Amino acid sequence: SLDNAFADEEVLDFDRRVRERLGDPVAVEYCAEPKLDGLAVSLRYEHGVLAHAATRGDGLSGEDVTTNVRTIRSVPLRLTGAAPAELEVRGEVFMPLAGFQRLNAAAAAAGDKLFVNPRNAAAGALRQLDPAVTARRPLAVFFYGAGLWRGTQEPTSHRQLLAQLAAWGLRVNPETRVLADIQRCLDYYRQLAARRQELPYQIDGVVYKVNARNDQ
């Protein structure tokens, strides 16, 4: 799970703790990206082929949503190029605002109940018993990390990880930035907050990750 920070002082304190643990008194490079307001999923690929997908659930076990995830157009069923023998990637399924508006317009025209917000609509779509219903919902996904990785050399930084995911055809958020220090992270947050209404999806914050795999 993520540590939360709601003020600049808490972010600066986070950076201080990171630098103390890494033994770096000067500055630490971070990757920053929007925190999408969607549903976390874990996808497992075997020899480059999508084999299993699950929601995060309670952090230890989640719901099997393999059949429904296969209907999401932005999820590759087969990775491009040479992939590890076993690979687990983590991402966020969400509903773009334009698709959410179209979905509610169609529901209103049919006299059906409207969806409250894009996150609830995305979660409901992913948990449908009928994958044909999921396929008609405008879902999308961005990937941001990896867990299990067997068969090839793992990237040594988070930036390299994201570049490799993209090379395999797994979408990563184009708003992701590599930032030289925590002050630039705070600038990124303010700039993104100023553009929040222009983004094509809902967010509920920003995620900062140390630019070394599995450090967060």
Side-chain angles (χ1 to χ4, degrees):
S1 62
L2 300 176
D3 284 336
N4 294 324
F6 300 98
D8 286 9
E9 293 75 16
E10 296 177 14
V11 175
L12 295 172
D13 186 57
F14 163 76
D15 175 66
R16 177 189 58 76
R17 296 195 307 271
V18 168
R19 287 185 288 109
E20 287 177 353
R21 292 171 185 173
L22 294 179
D24 187 343
V26 183
V28 172
E29 188 177 71
Y30 291 94
C31 274
E33 62 186 283
K35 185 176 182 297
L36 295 175
D37 194 12
L39 190 70
V41 292
S42 175
L43 276 59
R44 182 185 177 99
Y45 286 85
E46 297 177 358
H47 300 286
V49 178
L50 178 61
H52 187 261
T55 63
R56 183 174 60 188
D58 61 6
L60 296 175
S61 62
E63 300 174 60
D64 185 336
V65 290
T66 308
T67 303
N68 288 350
V69 163
R70 289 178 181 277
T71 71
I72 302 175
R73 294 181 181 179
S74 52
V75 172
L77 302 182
R78 181 182 293 273
L79 301 180
T80 302
E86 295 179 274
L87 174 68
E88 176 211 349
V89 292
R90 296 165 185 172
E92 193 86 0
V93 172
F94 64 98
M95 186 172 291
L97 292 173
F100 175 70
Q101 292 164 0
R102 290 195 303 270
L103 185 65
N104 263 350
D112 296 333
K113 183 178 179 180
L114 300 185
F115 294 93
V116 176
N117 55 55
R119 186 189 187 283
N120 286 353
L126 199 59
R127 293 185 170 117
Q128 286 289 327
L129 297 178
D130 183 356
V133 176
T134 305
R136 294 195 295 269
R137 300 286 169 83
L139 297 178
V141 62
F142 282 129
F143 295 95
Y144 54 75
L148 180 68
W149 189 301
R150 292 177 181 165
T152 64
Q153 181 68 37
E154 297 184 42
T156 57
S157 72
H158 191 68
R159 170 170 32 191
Q160 292 174 356
L161 168 65
L162 295 180
Q164 182 60 78
L165 296 183
W168 283 327
L170 295 157
R171 296 177 71 218
V172 299
N173 197 313
E175 297 286 347
T176 300
R177 299 289 184 272
V178 177
L179 305 167
D181 54 47
I182 200 65
Q183 287 296 337
R184 287 179 173 82
C185 288
L186 292 173
D187 291 341
Y188 172 91
Y189 165 77
R190 295 186 182 99
Q191 292 164 6
L192 194 68
R195 296 173 45 229
R196 187 172 184 173
Q197 300 303 318
E198 303 171 10
L199 296 174
Y201 42 74
Q202 286 192 334
I203 64 171
D204 55 4
V206 168
V207 177
Y208 301 126
K209 298 179 182 178
V210 176
N211 192 29
R213 215 175 84 71
N214 289 336
D215 287 329
Q216 185 168 303

